[in-house]
Amino acid sequence: MEAPIQTPVLIAGGGPVGLCLALFLDYWDVPCTVINIETSSRFHPKGNSQNARTMEHFRQLGFSDEVRKLGLPDDHPFDHGYFTRFSKHEIYRWKVPSWAERRQLRKEAPATDQYVEPMYRVNQMYVERLLLEKVRACENVDLRFGHEVKDFQQVEDGVAAQVVKLDNGEKFTFFARHLIDCSGGRSFIRRRLGIEYVGDVQTKDAYMAGLFYNLWFRIPDLYPKYLGHRRAWFSYAINADKDTRGLLVSLNGKDEFLMFLKASDTESNLDVKSVKEKLSKAVGDPEIQIEVLNHAPWTAGAAMTVNQYQKGRVFLAGDAAHLFTPVGGFGMNTGMDDAHNLAWKLAAVYHGWAGPTILETYDLERRPIGFRNTGACRKYSTQWPDPEVPAEIEADTPAGEETRKAAREMSFIKNNHFNVPENQDCTGIQLGARYDDSPLIVSDGPPPEEKWPETYDEYRPSGIPGGRVPHLWLDERHEIGSSLFDRLGKGFTLLRLPSCNVETAPLETLAKARRIPLKVLDIASSDAQRLYERSLILVRPDQYIAWRGDVLPDDCNALFDRVCGFADTANAKANNSVDG
């Protein structure tokens, strides 16, 4: 029998979360292996939003600008248009700037602008292709697409996994220190561990509930004939015919589209002919030429999170840990945050500067966020009811025009969470996740209040340890290199504000002696004191504040023990002080 293939980290699943995890492990210089059943990246459109925090992750990895070149052209608006049918009357429009316009707004933003990387509406299919291209270039990643994890056993010092190459049946055994399950909601790894989802699937009382179809298609004449002069990223067909009512996403700003079409009560599947009939009715042109590229059923309404994110040396991330309905775009993006949180902790253990409890904090930090985000998804979904639409809405008469005006006030449009300013578009979910109860966090007061819907809709920056470090632009260019996030170190970063009048050499010397990566960054900004409220801010590798103060702790060793996972997790929060 051949000796097992050794790898520090084995990742099961090469979707966006698994690929992002591999990229962050490579960023922190940790070798890993990615096992993926498919031989290539996603071939069917899925999620359509890379949220602000995910875009910050891509910025940290060095390719956020490349992501923004995917999908729609630079000048294509990200508007939300509401139509009776896509060739007919426009009912309402919520205007959203194109990326070219938003880029100019970023240049003009104040130094305290928190949206260094605003949400970008691009399909996950395109992003996965780029992520896979980036992973293929990583020296630290052994990429095994077309392979499947068939079995695994946990032992004291690692995990043995049996892997099969699917095209020829060749078998391999991998031995890893840790196995990360990114293989989705049907994961056999999760089931083998006895880990269950908590929550349910909503089947009624909301538009995004029940059976839907994802329809991917090409219509070369849709823009030239009907939508080219009224382009939108998201277009809604609102009419009395529920069989043709749906949400149309422009994928490339030219001829490719994705449509979410709600199934009727009697449908269980669609053939290509039925897809074309429904699409032509939604357009309002029975003669328009349609090329169906793919179509697939899916069930909306899920809001579930697992009851534990870790068991022994196996960790769950992405859909293996939580399932969402795509209201707000929380699913994949929550998984990207999982990957970011776990990667730096795995790196800290691999490089020997973290303690034995640091990996336990992955569950402690991320599971509450899973419940928070799935709960928010459910609440936003419930606010978006399935509309009742009068037939008169399509009439070319004064009465029809009055019906269309009245429709602008219907709950389906008015309470659609997309129709809000950027800073209120679930940015509290995107940027406001907090780890206040983590033993790695040295809190110095009560955390900011979390209140539905205010702190979910809108991000409120806070210097209190436990949250994302508030952003600052450090020069007037507002480009790559201008952001505080661009200047943070790969390990811990100690921010020294203008008010700092203490010597930090003792902490720096201790970090060097303990081989803890630490960068000292002097911040000259006059806005920093108001944002952070202390002179010294210790930022973790994942850009979260671990500690702050106006002087160094009496016991700097105790501080590093705490933030690096050497303190006992059961007692760390009970005894919050790090002073000697």
Side-chain angles (χ1 to χ4, degrees):
M1 180 180 292
E2 292 187 9
I5 301 170
Q6 301 288 326
T7 183
V9 179
L10 183 65
I11 301 171
V17 174
L19 293 174
C20 190
L21 176 60
L23 287 168
F24 270 119
L25 290 173
D26 179 74
Y27 174 82
W28 281 304
D29 200 25
V30 179
C32 69
T33 300
V34 180
I35 305 295
N36 193 61
I37 294 175
E38 290 81 14
T39 57
S40 62
S41 61
R42 185 175 303 279
F43 62 90
H44 184 86
K46 197 176 178 184
N48 295 284
S49 300
Q50 314 298 309
N51 78 16
R53 187 61 182 149
T54 293
M55 291 303 299
E56 289 176 1
H57 298 332
F58 294 155
R59 188 183 185 103
Q60 187 175 9
L61 291 168
F63 54 83
S64 57
D65 282 354
E66 292 180 63
V67 173
R68 295 191 187 277
K69 293 177 182 178
L70 304 173
L72 298 180
D74 219 29
D75 66 345
H76 194 293
F78 286 96
D79 293 359
H80 303 266
Y82 297 80
F83 306 87
T84 55
R85 299 182 193 266
F86 301 128
S87 67
K88 305 298 181 181
H89 301 282
E90 181 171 324
I91 300 170
Y92 178 77
R93 178 170 294 260
W94 179 265
K95 289 187 173 295
V96 181
S98 68
W99 173 235
E101 293 168 329
R102 184 60 183 82
R103 192 164 55 238
Q104 184 59 38
L105 291 172
R106 185 169 68 176
K107 286 182 177 294
E108 299 166 0
T112 54
D113 171 33
Q114 293 304 306
Y115 307 106
V116 54
E117 288 288 353
M119 177 188 288
Y120 188 59
R121 305 291 192 180
V122 60
N123 195 269
Q124 180 179 323
M125 173 178 66
Y126 300 136
V127 176
E128 281 192 46
R129 292 173 188 169
L130 179 63
L131 293 177
L132 182 57
E133 175 187 322
K134 295 296 180 183
V135 170
R136 290 192 192 281
C138 293
E139 293 184 0
N140 286 315
V141 182
D142 178 10
L143 195 61
R144 304 274 183 135
F145 271 45
H147 292 64
E148 183 177 7
V149 177
K150 289 290 191 180
D151 202 0
F152 68 95
Q153 301 82 37
Q154 294 201 65
V155 295
E156 183 178 350
D157 57 347
V159 181
Q162 289 72 51
V163 174
V164 173
K165 191 171 187 290
L166 296 176
D167 63 354
N168 61 11
E170 187 177 0
K171 297 179 180 179
F172 306 88
T173 296
F174 285 82
F175 189 82
R177 298 184 191 178
H178 303 98
L179 170 62
I180 318 302
D181 181 12
C182 302
S183 61
R186 297 175 180 171
S187 161
F188 96 91
I189 296 173
R190 175 185 60 79
R191 295 195 302 270
R192 274 280 306 277
L193 293 171
I195 295 176
E196 298 180 352
Y197 288 113
V198 177
D200 60 9
V201 178
Q202 186 176 15
T203 58
K204 59 181 181 178
D205 299 328
Y207 177 68
M208 295 297 268
L211 182 64
F212 272 76
Y213 296 105
N214 259 15
L215 312 178
W216 178 26
F217 52 94
R218 185 177 290 119
I219 305 183
D221 287 340
L222 187 56
Y223 264 40
K225 279 189 171 183
Y226 302 123
L227 291 180
H229 62 291
R230 48 184 188 172
R231 295 180 298 173
W233 164 68
F234 224 178
S235 300
Y236 304 73
I238 300 178
N239 54 65
D241 181 5
K242 289 189 175 184
D243 286 348
T244 61
R245 228 155 51 192
L247 315 179
L248 181 77
V249 180
S250 182
L251 295 177
N252 63 359
K254 182 182 177 183
D255 60 355
E256 282 194 25
F257 303 90
L258 172 68
M259 190 168 183
F260 302 125
L261 188 67
K262 192 163 188 173
S264 70
D265 294 337
T266 59
E267 286 173 337
S268 59
N269 206 345
L270 289 179
D271 57 22
V272 171
K273 181 182 177 182
S274 299
V275 170
K276 288 185 176 182
E277 289 176 353
K278 288 177 178 290
L279 290 175
S280 65
K281 287 181 181 179
V283 172
D285 180 352
E287 303 301 322
I288 199 160
Q289 295 299 303
I290 300 170
E291 180 187 357
V292 177
L293 302 174
N294 202 359
H295 65 288
W298 59 282
T299 301
M304 298 189 288
T305 302
V306 293
N307 54 15
Q308 60 186 112
Y309 277 41
Q310 174 191 3
K311 195 163 188 178
R313 290 178 172 267
V314 183
F315 301 81
L316 309 184
D319 285 358
H322 37 68
L323 295 175
F324 292 82
T325 287
V327 175
F330 301 154
M332 182 207 72
N333 293 292
T334 301
M336 295 302 218
D337 291 349
D338 294 340
H340 195 223
N341 182 284
L342 182 57
W344 81 267
K345 296 170 181 177
L346 290 167
V349 171
Y350 177 79
H351 293 298
W353 54 264
T357 64
I358 195 167
L359 291 177
E360 296 175 16
T361 67
Y362 172 65
D363 176 86
L364 294 171
E365 292 184 351
R366 291 304 303 165
R367 184 157 49 96
I369 303 304
F371 281 110
R372 165 186 179 262
N373 289 5
T374 53
C377 175
R378 169 56 51 81
K379 290 176 180 177
Y380 284 120
S381 180
T382 302
Q383 289 181 342
W384 199 17
D386 199 354
E388 291 296 330
V389 184
E392 291 82 3
I393 200 167
E394 296 192 71
D396 294 315
T397 64
E401 181 59 29
E402 289 302 313
T403 302
R404 288 187 286 276
K405 286 182 180 179
R408 297 169 192 168
E409 298 300 316
M410 70 168 57
S411 184
F412 184 81
I413 294 177
K414 198 169 185 179
N415 292 331
N416 185 336
H417 79 86
F418 289 113
N419 297 345
V420 293
E422 176 188 65
N423 68 319
Q424 296 171 17
D425 188 6
C426 311
T427 52
I429 293 292
Q430 297 176 49
L431 303 176
R434 296 190 58 86
Y435 307 142
D436 296 294
D437 292 328
S438 170
L440 303 183
I441 300 299
V442 185
S443 58
D444 61 2
E449 180 185 14
E450 188 166 275
K451 183 180 180 183
W452 170 266
E454 290 88 343
T455 59
Y456 289 71
D457 291 344
E458 195 163 354
Y459 170 64
R460 299 178 180 181
S462 171
I464 296 173
R468 162 191 178 269
V469 60
H471 177 256
L472 278 172
W473 289 110
L474 300 181
D475 63 37
E476 296 180 354
R477 296 179 300 117
H478 293 196
E479 297 175 350
I480 298 295
S482 302
S483 165
L484 169 71
F485 294 164
D486 300 334
R487 304 187 191 183
L488 297 174
K490 283 191 173 184
F492 285 94
T493 302
L494 182 66
L495 304 183
R496 294 193 301 205
L497 275 57
S499 59
C500 179
N501 56 11
V502 298
E503 178 59 59
T504 59
L507 190 71
E508 298 171 55
T509 301
L510 181 62
K512 187 174 182 180
R514 293 181 58 157
R515 298 189 298 117
I516 298 171
L518 176 69
K519 176 180 179 178
V520 177
L521 180 62
D522 291 313
I523 303 295
S525 169
S526 59
D527 296 300
Q529 194 70 37
R530 179 176 60 83
L531 275 178
Y532 306 137
E533 299 179 318
R534 301 290 188 276
S535 300
L536 297 168
I537 312 294
L538 185 64
V539 182
R540 306 191 323 184
D542 62 350
Q543 302 169 340
Y544 269 64
I545 298 177
W547 168 88
R548 66 177 181 175
D550 290 317
V551 296
L552 291 181
D554 293 342
D555 187 348
C556 291
N557 249 320
L559 172 61
F560 278 135
D561 282 349
R562 179 69 172 275
V563 301
C564 294
F566 286 96
D568 178 58
T569 56
N571 297 321
K573 293 306 291 184
N575 179 21
N576 197 53
S577 174
V578 295
D579 293 341

